[in-house]
Amino acid sequence: MNGKITAILLSGLLFACVQAPPPEPAAPPLPAPPPAPPVAAAPPPAAAPSPVLTEAARENRIVVVRSAGCEPVMALDYEDRIAAAMFYIGYQTARVGATTINVGRIPVIARAALAYCQQHPDRPVAEAFAVAYRQAR
């Protein structure tokens, strides 16, 4: 019995003493890129932002999420409307307590909600996304 234990312990000890193979040689460093050609002229400076735009960017805009109307959302430019749609989809997902969302359904929900807003511009945008979210589930 002691012979078996000794053989197992000895094999474990020998296994621990095996040397690791040497590391492979590192690849030679890449040659340095050629220097960039000199620039002929510096680009013209950007125009200073207008004071009206600067004041509007600093303005605090408070939006009541649940009662914001569809009409102002539909008046936004395309990118801002998409950003608002993403916000309201996340908002609606949190309201129903969902921990997952089918990402492939997001465009369907957004289109349905924005179509609802076009048909009902006097209704809250949160309502439009609630209806669209329920239909898409």
PDB file of all heavy atoms in Angstrom, residues 60-93:
ATOM      1  N   ASN A  60     -30.469  75.286 -20.008  1.00  0.00           N
ATOM      2  CA  ASN A  60     -30.997  74.084 -19.361  1.00  0.00           C
ATOM      3  C   ASN A  60     -32.372  73.811 -19.945  1.00  0.00           C
ATOM      4  O   ASN A  60     -33.235  74.681 -19.929  1.00  0.00           O
ATOM      5  CB  ASN A  60     -31.116  74.280 -17.851  1.00  0.00           C
ATOM      6  CG  ASN A  60     -29.765  74.298 -17.190  1.00  0.00           C
ATOM      7  OD1 ASN A  60     -28.832  73.672 -17.669  1.00  0.00           O
ATOM      8  ND2 ASN A  60     -29.662  75.009 -16.093  1.00  0.00           N
ATOM      9  N   ARG A  61     -32.530  72.620 -20.468  1.00  0.00           N
ATOM     10  CA  ARG A  61     -33.827  72.247 -21.028  1.00  0.00           C
ATOM     11  C   ARG A  61     -34.350  71.079 -20.221  1.00  0.00           C
ATOM     12  O   ARG A  61     -33.788  70.001 -20.250  1.00  0.00           O
ATOM     13  CB  ARG A  61     -33.674  71.887 -22.495  1.00  0.00           C
ATOM     14  CG  ARG A  61     -33.239  73.087 -23.323  1.00  0.00           C
ATOM     15  CD  ARG A  61     -33.141  72.769 -24.754  1.00  0.00           C
ATOM     16  NE  ARG A  61     -34.456  72.357 -25.237  1.00  0.00           N
ATOM     17  CZ  ARG A  61     -34.684  71.892 -26.446  1.00  0.00           C
ATOM     18  NH1 ARG A  61     -33.694  71.780 -27.282  1.00  0.00           N
ATOM     19  NH2 ARG A  61     -35.881  71.537 -26.815  1.00  0.00           N
ATOM     20  N   ILE A  62     -35.424  71.313 -19.523  1.00  0.00           N
ATOM     21  CA  ILE A  62     -36.044  70.287 -18.705  1.00  0.00           C
ATOM     22  C   ILE A  62     -37.195  69.689 -19.508  1.00  0.00           C
ATOM     23  O   ILE A  62     -38.048  70.409 -20.017  1.00  0.00           O
ATOM     24  CB  ILE A  62     -36.587  70.875 -17.378  1.00  0.00           C
ATOM     25  CG1 ILE A  62     -35.496  71.653 -16.640  1.00  0.00           C
ATOM     26  CG2 ILE A  62     -37.197  69.779 -16.530  1.00  0.00           C
ATOM     27  CD1 ILE A  62     -34.306  70.831 -16.247  1.00  0.00           C
ATOM     28  N   VAL A  63     -37.194  68.373 -19.621  1.00  0.00           N
ATOM     29  CA  VAL A  63     -38.250  67.674 -20.344  1.00  0.00           C
ATOM     30  C   VAL A  63     -38.890  66.687 -19.381  1.00  0.00           C
ATOM     31  O   VAL A  63     -38.196  65.885 -18.754  1.00  0.00           O
ATOM     32  CB  VAL A  63     -37.671  66.919 -21.575  1.00  0.00           C
ATOM     33  CG1 VAL A  63     -38.737  66.108 -22.266  1.00  0.00           C
ATOM     34  CG2 VAL A  63     -37.008  67.893 -22.526  1.00  0.00           C
ATOM     35  N   VAL A  64     -40.182  66.744 -19.259  1.00  0.00           N
ATOM     36  CA  VAL A  64     -40.909  65.781 -18.441  1.00  0.00           C
ATOM     37  C   VAL A  64     -41.120  64.552 -19.321  1.00  0.00           C
ATOM     38  O   VAL A  64     -41.884  64.592 -20.284  1.00  0.00           O
ATOM     39  CB  VAL A  64     -42.247  66.352 -17.933  1.00  0.00           C
ATOM     40  CG1 VAL A  64     -42.977  65.327 -17.081  1.00  0.00           C
ATOM     41  CG2 VAL A  64     -42.009  67.639 -17.158  1.00  0.00           C
ATOM     42  N   VAL A  65     -40.425  63.493 -19.006  1.00  0.00           N
ATOM     43  CA  VAL A  65     -40.340  62.317 -19.874  1.00  0.00           C
ATOM     44  C   VAL A  65     -41.717  61.728 -20.166  1.00  0.00           C
ATOM     45  O   VAL A  65     -42.032  61.409 -21.303  1.00  0.00           O
ATOM     46  CB  VAL A  65     -39.403  61.257 -19.251  1.00  0.00           C
ATOM     47  CG1 VAL A  65     -39.406  59.982 -20.052  1.00  0.00           C
ATOM     48  CG2 VAL A  65     -38.002  61.810 -19.127  1.00  0.00           C
ATOM     49  N   ARG A  66     -42.561  61.604 -19.160  1.00  0.00           N
ATOM     50  CA  ARG A  66     -43.854  60.933 -19.350  1.00  0.00           C
ATOM     51  C   ARG A  66     -44.867  61.780 -20.103  1.00  0.00           C
ATOM     52  O   ARG A  66     -45.798  61.240 -20.677  1.00  0.00           O
ATOM     53  CB  ARG A  66     -44.425  60.509 -18.016  1.00  0.00           C
ATOM     54  CG  ARG A  66     -43.603  59.376 -17.427  1.00  0.00           C
ATOM     55  CD  ARG A  66     -44.292  58.711 -16.299  1.00  0.00           C
ATOM     56  NE  ARG A  66     -45.645  58.317 -16.640  1.00  0.00           N
ATOM     57  CZ  ARG A  66     -46.131  57.095 -16.461  1.00  0.00           C
ATOM     58  NH1 ARG A  66     -45.367  56.168 -15.970  1.00  0.00           N
ATOM     59  NH2 ARG A  66     -47.370  56.828 -16.747  1.00  0.00           N
ATOM     60  N   SER A  67     -44.715  63.091 -20.082  1.00  0.00           N
ATOM     61  CA  SER A  67     -45.732  63.923 -20.725  1.00  0.00           C
ATOM     62  C   SER A  67     -45.229  64.690 -21.941  1.00  0.00           C
ATOM     63  O   SER A  67     -45.968  65.481 -22.510  1.00  0.00           O
ATOM     64  CB  SER A  67     -46.327  64.892 -19.703  1.00  0.00           C
ATOM     65  OG  SER A  67     -45.330  65.774 -19.230  1.00  0.00           O
ATOM     66  N   ALA A  68     -44.002  64.475 -22.354  1.00  0.00           N
ATOM     67  CA  ALA A  68     -43.491  65.149 -23.556  1.00  0.00           C
ATOM     68  C   ALA A  68     -44.324  64.718 -24.752  1.00  0.00           C
ATOM     69  O   ALA A  68     -44.647  63.547 -24.911  1.00  0.00           O
ATOM     70  CB  ALA A  68     -42.025  64.796 -23.774  1.00  0.00           C
ATOM     71  N   GLY A  69     -44.683  65.677 -25.575  1.00  0.00           N
ATOM     72  CA  GLY A  69     -45.578  65.404 -26.695  1.00  0.00           C
ATOM     73  C   GLY A  69     -44.891  64.817 -27.911  1.00  0.00           C
ATOM     74  O   GLY A  69     -43.682  64.953 -28.106  1.00  0.00           O
ATOM     75  N   CYS A  70     -45.708  64.177 -28.728  1.00  0.00           N
ATOM     76  CA  CYS A  70     -45.203  63.596 -29.974  1.00  0.00           C
ATOM     77  C   CYS A  70     -44.796  64.674 -30.979  1.00  0.00           C
ATOM     78  O   CYS A  70     -43.834  64.504 -31.719  1.00  0.00           O
ATOM     79  CB  CYS A  70     -46.271  62.710 -30.619  1.00  0.00           C
ATOM     80  SG  CYS A  70     -46.356  61.048 -29.945  1.00  0.00           S
ATOM     81  N   GLU A  71     -45.532  65.769 -31.007  1.00  0.00           N
ATOM     82  CA  GLU A  71     -45.271  66.799 -32.012  1.00  0.00           C
ATOM     83  C   GLU A  71     -43.845  67.338 -31.949  1.00  0.00           C
ATOM     84  O   GLU A  71     -43.175  67.424 -32.987  1.00  0.00           O
ATOM     85  CB  GLU A  71     -46.289  67.927 -31.867  1.00  0.00           C
ATOM     86  CG  GLU A  71     -46.236  68.917 -33.006  1.00  0.00           C
ATOM     87  CD  GLU A  71     -47.368  69.928 -32.933  1.00  0.00           C
ATOM     88  OE1 GLU A  71     -48.134  69.941 -31.937  1.00  0.00           O
ATOM     89  OE2 GLU A  71     -47.477  70.711 -33.872  1.00  0.00           O
ATOM     90  N   PRO A  72     -43.305  67.684 -30.762  1.00  0.00           N
ATOM     91  CA  PRO A  72     -41.921  68.161 -30.725  1.00  0.00           C
ATOM     92  C   PRO A  72     -40.913  67.100 -31.174  1.00  0.00           C
ATOM     93  O   PRO A  72     -39.905  67.421 -31.801  1.00  0.00           O
ATOM     94  CB  PRO A  72     -41.695  68.534 -29.264  1.00  0.00           C
ATOM     95  CG  PRO A  72     -43.037  68.699 -28.669  1.00  0.00           C
ATOM     96  CD  PRO A  72     -43.957  67.827 -29.450  1.00  0.00           C
ATOM     97  N   VAL A  73     -41.187  65.845 -30.870  1.00  0.00           N
ATOM     98  CA  VAL A  73     -40.263  64.775 -31.293  1.00  0.00           C
ATOM     99  C   VAL A  73     -40.261  64.657 -32.806  1.00  0.00           C
ATOM    100  O   VAL A  73     -39.220  64.492 -33.423  1.00  0.00           O
ATOM    101  CB  VAL A  73     -40.635  63.433 -30.621  1.00  0.00           C
ATOM    102  CG1 VAL A  73     -39.847  62.285 -31.219  1.00  0.00           C
ATOM    103  CG2 VAL A  73     -40.404  63.513 -29.125  1.00  0.00           C
ATOM    104  N   MET A  74     -41.441  64.763 -33.413  1.00  0.00           N
ATOM    105  CA  MET A  74     -41.524  64.657 -34.871  1.00  0.00           C
ATOM    106  C   MET A  74     -40.883  65.863 -35.559  1.00  0.00           C
ATOM    107  O   MET A  74     -40.486  65.772 -36.713  1.00  0.00           O
ATOM    108  CB  MET A  74     -42.979  64.494 -35.313  1.00  0.00           C
ATOM    109  CG  MET A  74     -43.616  63.202 -34.807  1.00  0.00           C
ATOM    110  SD  MET A  74     -42.655  61.718 -35.161  1.00  0.00           S
ATOM    111  CE  MET A  74     -42.793  61.632 -36.934  1.00  0.00           C
ATOM    112  N   ALA A  75     -40.741  66.982 -34.849  1.00  0.00           N
ATOM    113  CA  ALA A  75     -40.114  68.174 -35.421  1.00  0.00           C
ATOM    114  C   ALA A  75     -38.589  68.107 -35.374  1.00  0.00           C
ATOM    115  O   ALA A  75     -37.908  68.916 -35.999  1.00  0.00           O
ATOM    116  CB  ALA A  75     -40.603  69.419 -34.682  1.00  0.00           C
ATOM    117  N   LEU A  76     -38.031  67.131 -34.641  1.00  0.00           N
ATOM    118  CA  LEU A  76     -36.578  66.994 -34.547  1.00  0.00           C
ATOM    119  C   LEU A  76     -35.998  66.537 -35.872  1.00  0.00           C
ATOM    120  O   LEU A  76     -36.692  65.916 -36.683  1.00  0.00           O
ATOM    121  CB  LEU A  76     -36.221  65.968 -33.464  1.00  0.00           C
ATOM    122  CG  LEU A  76     -36.608  66.305 -32.030  1.00  0.00           C
ATOM    123  CD1 LEU A  76     -36.372  65.108 -31.128  1.00  0.00           C
ATOM    124  CD2 LEU A  76     -35.822  67.507 -31.546  1.00  0.00           C
ATOM    125  N   ASP A  77     -34.694  66.802 -36.074  1.00  0.00           N
ATOM    126  CA  ASP A  77     -34.055  66.261 -37.272  1.00  0.00           C
ATOM    127  C   ASP A  77     -33.882  64.749 -37.090  1.00  0.00           C
ATOM    128  O   ASP A  77     -34.106  64.210 -36.015  1.00  0.00           O
ATOM    129  CB  ASP A  77     -32.731  66.963 -37.582  1.00  0.00           C
ATOM    130  CG  ASP A  77     -31.641  66.742 -36.551  1.00  0.00           C
ATOM    131  OD1 ASP A  77     -31.812  65.860 -35.680  1.00  0.00           O
ATOM    132  OD2 ASP A  77     -30.620  67.432 -36.605  1.00  0.00           O
ATOM    133  N   TYR A  78     -33.523  64.079 -38.158  1.00  0.00           N
ATOM    134  CA  TYR A  78     -33.498  62.615 -38.184  1.00  0.00           C
ATOM    135  C   TYR A  78     -32.650  62.021 -37.062  1.00  0.00           C
ATOM    136  O   TYR A  78     -33.109  61.144 -36.338  1.00  0.00           O
ATOM    137  CB  TYR A  78     -32.998  62.134 -39.549  1.00  0.00           C
ATOM    138  CG  TYR A  78     -32.875  60.639 -39.646  1.00  0.00           C
ATOM    139  CD1 TYR A  78     -34.001  59.852 -39.814  1.00  0.00           C
ATOM    140  CD2 TYR A  78     -31.631  60.013 -39.562  1.00  0.00           C
ATOM    141  CE1 TYR A  78     -33.904  58.472 -39.898  1.00  0.00           C
ATOM    142  CE2 TYR A  78     -31.525  58.636 -39.642  1.00  0.00           C
ATOM    143  CZ  TYR A  78     -32.661  57.868 -39.815  1.00  0.00           C
ATOM    144  OH  TYR A  78     -32.553  56.505 -39.871  1.00  0.00           O
ATOM    145  N   GLU A  79     -31.421  62.504 -36.911  1.00  0.00           N
ATOM    146  CA  GLU A  79     -30.525  61.931 -35.895  1.00  0.00           C
ATOM    147  C   GLU A  79     -31.043  62.147 -34.479  1.00  0.00           C
ATOM    148  O   GLU A  79     -30.964  61.251 -33.634  1.00  0.00           O
ATOM    149  CB  GLU A  79     -29.116  62.509 -36.047  1.00  0.00           C
ATOM    150  CG  GLU A  79     -28.407  61.976 -37.268  1.00  0.00           C
ATOM    151  CD  GLU A  79     -26.986  62.501 -37.384  1.00  0.00           C
ATOM    152  OE1 GLU A  79     -26.482  63.093 -36.417  1.00  0.00           O
ATOM    153  OE2 GLU A  79     -26.387  62.296 -38.451  1.00  0.00           O
ATOM    154  N   ASP A  80     -31.606  63.321 -34.206  1.00  0.00           N
ATOM    155  CA  ASP A  80     -32.147  63.581 -32.875  1.00  0.00           C
ATOM    156  C   ASP A  80     -33.399  62.744 -32.615  1.00  0.00           C
ATOM    157  O   ASP A  80     -33.637  62.294 -31.499  1.00  0.00           O
ATOM    158  CB  ASP A  80     -32.460  65.066 -32.705  1.00  0.00           C
ATOM    159  CG  ASP A  80     -31.208  65.915 -32.605  1.00  0.00           C
ATOM    160  OD1 ASP A  80     -30.126  65.353 -32.307  1.00  0.00           O
ATOM    161  OD2 ASP A  80     -31.290  67.137 -32.834  1.00  0.00           O
ATOM    162  N   ARG A  81     -34.199  62.536 -33.657  1.00  0.00           N
ATOM    163  CA  ARG A  81     -35.390  61.695 -33.513  1.00  0.00           C
ATOM    164  C   ARG A  81     -34.985  60.252 -33.202  1.00  0.00           C
ATOM    165  O   ARG A  81     -35.593  59.594 -32.366  1.00  0.00           O
ATOM    166  CB  ARG A  81     -36.230  61.771 -34.793  1.00  0.00           C
ATOM    167  CG  ARG A  81     -37.645  61.359 -34.606  1.00  0.00           C
ATOM    168  CD  ARG A  81     -38.521  61.627 -35.808  1.00  0.00           C
ATOM    169  NE  ARG A  81     -37.837  61.597 -37.067  1.00  0.00           N
ATOM    170  CZ  ARG A  81     -37.881  62.570 -37.975  1.00  0.00           C
ATOM    171  NH1 ARG A  81     -38.573  63.649 -37.745  1.00  0.00           N
ATOM    172  NH2 ARG A  81     -37.241  62.449 -39.106  1.00  0.00           N
ATOM    173  N   ILE A  82     -33.910  59.761 -33.836  1.00  0.00           N
ATOM    174  CA  ILE A  82     -33.411  58.413 -33.570  1.00  0.00           C
ATOM    175  C   ILE A  82     -32.884  58.328 -32.129  1.00  0.00           C
ATOM    176  O   ILE A  82     -33.134  57.350 -31.427  1.00  0.00           O
ATOM    177  CB  ILE A  82     -32.318  58.012 -34.584  1.00  0.00           C
ATOM    178  CG1 ILE A  82     -32.906  57.931 -35.992  1.00  0.00           C
ATOM    179  CG2 ILE A  82     -31.649  56.701 -34.204  1.00  0.00           C
ATOM    180  CD1 ILE A  82     -34.044  56.947 -36.142  1.00  0.00           C
ATOM    181  N   ALA A  83     -32.176  59.346 -31.693  1.00  0.00           N
ATOM    182  CA  ALA A  83     -31.665  59.359 -30.311  1.00  0.00           C
ATOM    183  C   ALA A  83     -32.824  59.359 -29.313  1.00  0.00           C
ATOM    184  O   ALA A  83     -32.785  58.640 -28.304  1.00  0.00           O
ATOM    185  CB  ALA A  83     -30.769  60.580 -30.092  1.00  0.00           C
ATOM    186  N   ALA A  84     -33.861  60.145 -29.594  1.00  0.00           N
ATOM    187  CA  ALA A  84     -35.032  60.162 -28.712  1.00  0.00           C
ATOM    188  C   ALA A  84     -35.712  58.796 -28.709  1.00  0.00           C
ATOM    189  O   ALA A  84     -36.150  58.313 -27.662  1.00  0.00           O
ATOM    190  CB  ALA A  84     -36.011  61.252 -29.160  1.00  0.00           C
ATOM    191  N   ALA A  85     -35.791  58.167 -29.870  1.00  0.00           N
ATOM    192  CA  ALA A  85     -36.409  56.840 -29.956  1.00  0.00           C
ATOM    193  C   ALA A  85     -35.633  55.834 -29.119  1.00  0.00           C
ATOM    194  O   ALA A  85     -36.234  55.028 -28.382  1.00  0.00           O
ATOM    195  CB  ALA A  85     -36.482  56.381 -31.416  1.00  0.00           C
ATOM    196  N   MET A  86     -34.315  55.866 -29.189  1.00  0.00           N
ATOM    197  CA  MET A  86     -33.505  54.940 -28.392  1.00  0.00           C
ATOM    198  C   MET A  86     -33.721  55.193 -26.900  1.00  0.00           C
ATOM    199  O   MET A  86     -33.820  54.259 -26.113  1.00  0.00           O
ATOM    200  CB  MET A  86     -32.021  55.068 -28.747  1.00  0.00           C
ATOM    201  CG  MET A  86     -31.691  54.567 -30.130  1.00  0.00           C
ATOM    202  SD  MET A  86     -32.141  52.849 -30.393  1.00  0.00           S
ATOM    203  CE  MET A  86     -31.060  52.043 -29.253  1.00  0.00           C
ATOM    204  N   PHE A  87     -33.808  56.459 -26.522  1.00  0.00           N
ATOM    205  CA  PHE A  87     -34.052  56.786 -25.118  1.00  0.00           C
ATOM    206  C   PHE A  87     -35.389  56.210 -24.673  1.00  0.00           C
ATOM    207  O   PHE A  87     -35.486  55.550 -23.635  1.00  0.00           O
ATOM    208  CB  PHE A  87     -34.041  58.303 -24.900  1.00  0.00           C
ATOM    209  CG  PHE A  87     -34.554  58.681 -23.539  1.00  0.00           C
ATOM    210  CD1 PHE A  87     -33.738  58.585 -22.434  1.00  0.00           C
ATOM    211  CD2 PHE A  87     -35.863  59.099 -23.373  1.00  0.00           C
ATOM    212  CE1 PHE A  87     -34.217  58.903 -21.169  1.00  0.00           C
ATOM    213  CE2 PHE A  87     -36.346  59.417 -22.111  1.00  0.00           C
ATOM    214  CZ  PHE A  87     -35.523  59.322 -21.008  1.00  0.00           C
ATOM    215  N   TYR A  88     -36.444  56.454 -25.458  1.00  0.00           N
ATOM    216  CA  TYR A  88     -37.776  56.004 -25.050  1.00  0.00           C
ATOM    217  C   TYR A  88     -37.921  54.488 -25.101  1.00  0.00           C
ATOM    218  O   TYR A  88     -38.683  53.912 -24.320  1.00  0.00           O
ATOM    219  CB  TYR A  88     -38.863  56.706 -25.873  1.00  0.00           C
ATOM    220  CG  TYR A  88     -39.228  58.040 -25.270  1.00  0.00           C
ATOM    221  CD1 TYR A  88     -38.735  59.227 -25.807  1.00  0.00           C
ATOM    222  CD2 TYR A  88     -40.028  58.123 -24.143  1.00  0.00           C
ATOM    223  CE1 TYR A  88     -39.053  60.447 -25.237  1.00  0.00           C
ATOM    224  CE2 TYR A  88     -40.343  59.338 -23.567  1.00  0.00           C
ATOM    225  CZ  TYR A  88     -39.856  60.490 -24.117  1.00  0.00           C
ATOM    226  OH  TYR A  88     -40.157  61.698 -23.541  1.00  0.00           O
ATOM    227  N   ILE A  89     -37.205  53.819 -25.980  1.00  0.00           N
ATOM    228  CA  ILE A  89     -37.236  52.350 -25.967  1.00  0.00           C
ATOM    229  C   ILE A  89     -36.598  51.840 -24.674  1.00  0.00           C
ATOM    230  O   ILE A  89     -37.124  50.945 -24.022  1.00  0.00           O
ATOM    231  CB  ILE A  89     -36.540  51.770 -27.217  1.00  0.00           C
ATOM    232  CG1 ILE A  89     -37.395  52.046 -28.449  1.00  0.00           C
ATOM    233  CG2 ILE A  89     -36.303  50.265 -27.062  1.00  0.00           C
ATOM    234  CD1 ILE A  89     -36.716  51.733 -29.773  1.00  0.00           C
ATOM    235  N   GLY A  90     -35.463  52.414 -24.292  1.00  0.00           N
ATOM    236  CA  GLY A  90     -34.834  52.043 -23.025  1.00  0.00           C
ATOM    237  C   GLY A  90     -35.716  52.383 -21.841  1.00  0.00           C
ATOM    238  O   GLY A  90     -35.829  51.606 -20.882  1.00  0.00           O
ATOM    239  N   TYR A  91     -36.366  53.530 -21.899  1.00  0.00           N
ATOM    240  CA  TYR A  91     -37.266  53.954 -20.827  1.00  0.00           C
ATOM    241  C   TYR A  91     -38.414  52.964 -20.694  1.00  0.00           C
ATOM    242  O   TYR A  91     -38.753  52.529 -19.589  1.00  0.00           O
ATOM    243  CB  TYR A  91     -37.791  55.362 -21.138  1.00  0.00           C
ATOM    244  CG  TYR A  91     -38.860  55.850 -20.198  1.00  0.00           C
ATOM    245  CD1 TYR A  91     -38.536  56.266 -18.912  1.00  0.00           C
ATOM    246  CD2 TYR A  91     -40.189  55.907 -20.600  1.00  0.00           C
ATOM    247  CE1 TYR A  91     -39.520  56.719 -18.046  1.00  0.00           C
ATOM    248  CE2 TYR A  91     -41.176  56.360 -19.741  1.00  0.00           C
ATOM    249  CZ  TYR A  91     -40.840  56.761 -18.470  1.00  0.00           C
ATOM    250  OH  TYR A  91     -41.811  57.211 -17.615  1.00  0.00           O
ATOM    251  N   GLN A  92     -39.014  52.585 -21.810  1.00  0.00           N
ATOM    252  CA  GLN A  92     -40.141  51.658 -21.769  1.00  0.00           C
ATOM    253  C   GLN A  92     -39.696  50.273 -21.295  1.00  0.00           C
ATOM    254  O   GLN A  92     -40.396  49.615 -20.540  1.00  0.00           O
ATOM    255  CB  GLN A  92     -40.809  51.571 -23.149  1.00  0.00           C
ATOM    256  CG  GLN A  92     -42.074  50.764 -23.151  1.00  0.00           C
ATOM    257  CD  GLN A  92     -43.131  51.316 -22.215  1.00  0.00           C
ATOM    258  OE1 GLN A  92     -43.253  52.516 -22.018  1.00  0.00           O
ATOM    259  NE2 GLN A  92     -43.891  50.437 -21.601  1.00  0.00           N
ATOM    260  N   THR A  93     -38.516  49.851 -21.712  1.00  0.00           N
ATOM    261  CA  THR A  93     -37.981  48.567 -21.267  1.00  0.00           C
ATOM    262  C   THR A  93     -37.827  48.563 -19.745  1.00  0.00           C
ATOM    263  O   THR A  93     -38.188  47.596 -19.074  1.00  0.00           O
ATOM    264  CB  THR A  93     -36.625  48.288 -21.946  1.00  0.00           C
ATOM    265  OG1 THR A  93     -36.810  48.305 -23.354  1.00  0.00           O
ATOM    266  CG2 THR A  93     -36.057  46.948 -21.531  1.00  0.00           C
TER     267      THR A  93
END
